[in-house]
């Protein structure tokens, strides 16, 4: 950015996956959407709020297609591009797919930001895609009041090995591959309350690709996968519970990024966390006496968050070994049990 340009985050009313429309509002919007005609080759559509659409191409290949974009969560344009692209590619990995190429989505206030800054955003996105082994093969740009960047991400998966958010089974263990608190760190950043170490933590977690997802279709006992993003751990766990027709139990003490606890205790949180709870809190059972800050962590919107994986208990150790080889995090955060489609938080 040039010295005369405003901070990227100052040009946006929200940032990262905290920009998502609240779950309840989104449900109201989609309720009026006409049902698509049946297509035999559409393996995954909008029916369970999954991470991407999947279309069967032939007996050996299915196309995974998704789009994801948002407003800046940081001020460094290269880092913004990296984070947004990593986040978009995560949807392909969450379906068990391997990315093949991407298209850029770009909306910029061209009279406010320099071509250098806008170019750095695109370079950051291209760098994230290069790390995933794919090109940015085109895209579309508009002159926009607020800066927006993201990708259309496309990948491939075997049609018989597609992973969705609806296959969890009672008895499965739930594993999370990244610690929580991205929304808290990003809120602290906008408030000028995040130090260099905190910024490094924010940047490192949000630019780490969820490449483990591409390995999961061949992993024994893996029944369901989703990535934890704008609706927080509880929101995405609830989607998994609905898809399974079972109760998902989540620990009240999931892994946290460094510095997040202190910021939460100091009152730092996002508006999206409050909107998330207002949207789905009626379907979540909390233990008596749970501190507000712990609930805020569980509803914290995660920009480029980790994968939430439902795996048979007997295969947890094998999955942990695969995660270590991949360099992914691995924390057991809950399990699936018989019961209504709800989330139960355990103290």
């Amino acid at each position: 950015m040039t010295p005369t340009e405003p901070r990227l985050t100052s040009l946006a009313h929200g940032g990262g996956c905290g920009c998502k429309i609240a779950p309840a509002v989104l449900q109201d919007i989609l309720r009026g959407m006409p049902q698509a005609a049946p297509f035999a080759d559409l393996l995954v559509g909008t029916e369970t709020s999954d991470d991407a659409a999947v279309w069967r191409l032939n007996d050996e290949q299915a196309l995974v297609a998704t789009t994801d974009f948002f407003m800046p969560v940081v001020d460094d344009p290269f880092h913004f591009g990296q984070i947004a692209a990593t986040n978009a590619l995560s949807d392909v990995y969450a379906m068990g797919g391997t990315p093949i190429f991407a298209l850029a989505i770009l909306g910029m206030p061209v009279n406010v930001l320099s071509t250098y800054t806008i170019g750095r955003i695109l370079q950051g996105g291209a760098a994230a895609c290069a790390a995933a082994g794919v090109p940015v093969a085109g895209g579309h740009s508009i002159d926009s009041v607020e800066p927006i960047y993201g990708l259309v991400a496309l990948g491939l998966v075997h049609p018989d090995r597609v992973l969705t958010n609806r296959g969890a089974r009672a008895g499965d263990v739930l594993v999370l591959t990244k610690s929580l608190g991205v929304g808290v760190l990003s809120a602290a950043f906008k408030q000028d309350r995040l130090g260099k170490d905190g910024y490094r933590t924010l940047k490192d977690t949000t630019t780490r690709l969820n490449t483990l997802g591409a390995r999961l279709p061949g992993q024994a006992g893996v029944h369901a996968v989703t990535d934890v993003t704008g609706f927080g751990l509880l929101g995405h766990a609830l989607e998994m519970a609905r898809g399974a027709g079972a109760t998902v139990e989540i620990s009240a003490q999931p892994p946290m990024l460094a510095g997040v606890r202190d910021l939460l205790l100091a009152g730092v949180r996002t508006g999206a966390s409050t909107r998330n709870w207002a949207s789905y809190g009626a379907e979540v059972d909390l233990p008596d006496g749970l501190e507000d800050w712990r609930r805020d962590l569980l509803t914290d919107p995660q920009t480029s968050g980790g994968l939430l994986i439902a795996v048979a208990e007997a295969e947890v150790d094998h999955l942990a070994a695969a995660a270590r080889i991949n360099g992914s995090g691995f924390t057991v955060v809950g399990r699936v049990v018989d019961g209504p489609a709800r989330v139960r938080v355990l103290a």
Side-chain angles (χ1 to χ4, degrees), residues 29-335:
I29 293 170
L30 295 179
R31 192 171 290 121
M33 184 175 176
Q35 290 289 328
F39 293 92
D41 289 320
L42 183 61
L43 303 182
V44 180
T46 62
E47 56 278 354
T48 59
S49 303
D50 224 317
D51 297 296
V54 183
W55 182 271
R56 185 198 310 270
L57 298 174
N58 51 54
D59 290 343
E60 299 295 323
Q61 294 177 312
L63 180 69
V64 182
T66 184
T67 181
D68 213 317
F69 52 89
F70 47 61
M71 290 165 279
V73 67
V74 295
D75 291 327
D76 185 288
F78 188 87
H79 291 167
F80 170 39
Q82 278 185 299
I83 293 167
T86 303
N87 177 75
L89 291 167
S90 181
D91 286 341
V92 175
Y93 292 126
M95 308 301 293
T98 299
I100 52 174
F101 72 93
L103 304 173
I105 299 168
L106 184 72
M108 290 289 143
V110 294
N111 292 327
V112 177
L113 295 176
S114 67
T115 55
Y116 171 80
T117 294
I118 297 171
R120 288 292 286 169
I121 294 171
L122 292 174
Q123 290 165 20
C129 288
V134 300
V136 179
H140 185 66
S141 61
I142 62 169
D143 186 355
S144 172
V145 174
E146 295 181 277
I148 297 168
Y149 175 71
L151 300 176
V152 174
L154 301 171
L156 293 175
V157 65
H158 193 286
D160 296 334
R161 294 186 173 185
V162 177
L163 294 170
T164 71
N165 65 2
R166 62 178 184 262
R169 306 173 188 176
D172 282 352
V173 171
L174 295 178
V175 171
L176 184 64
T177 65
K178 288 186 183 182
S179 297
L180 302 180
V182 171
V184 175
L185 294 180
S186 63
F189 177 80
K190 290 194 75 170
Q191 297 170 23
D192 289 323
R193 298 170 67 177
L194 192 68
K196 290 182 178 179
D197 289 343
Y199 183 83
R200 188 178 303 110
T201 297
L202 172 64
K203 185 255 184 184
D204 288 349
T205 189
T206 53
T207 56
R208 191 184 319 130
L209 292 162
N210 285 323
T211 53
L212 177 65
R215 296 171 173 260
L216 295 180
Q219 191 70 37
V222 172
H223 297 142
V225 183
T226 190
D227 62 344
V228 178
T229 53
F231 299 156
L233 178 58
L234 291 186
H236 293 286
L238 180 59
E239 290 177 341
M240 193 174 279
R242 290 168 177 163
T247 296
V248 167
E249 296 181 337
I250 294 292
S251 170
Q253 301 184 49
M256 274 184 289
L257 294 166
V260 167
R261 185 179 187 276
D262 289 342
L263 289 168
L264 281 166
L265 290 173
V268 178
R269 57 190 40 78
T270 69
S273 177
T274 303
R275 292 193 298 273
N276 281 341
W277 180 250
S279 292
Y280 55 66
E283 297 175 81
V284 177
D285 301 316
L286 298 179
D288 293 338
L290 183 73
E291 302 100 319
D292 288 345
W293 71 267
R294 291 194 182 277
R295 190 197 72 184
D296 290 337
L297 175 67
L298 293 169
T299 58
D300 187 54
Q302 302 305 287
T303 299
S304 191
L307 299 176
L308 182 64
I309 306 167
V311 57
E313 189 167 13
E315 300 295 340
V316 170
D317 289 344
H318 292 129
L319 180 59
R324 283 195 297 272
I325 293 171
N326 184 257
S328 296
F330 188 94
T331 304
V332 173
V333 294
R335 63 175 53 247

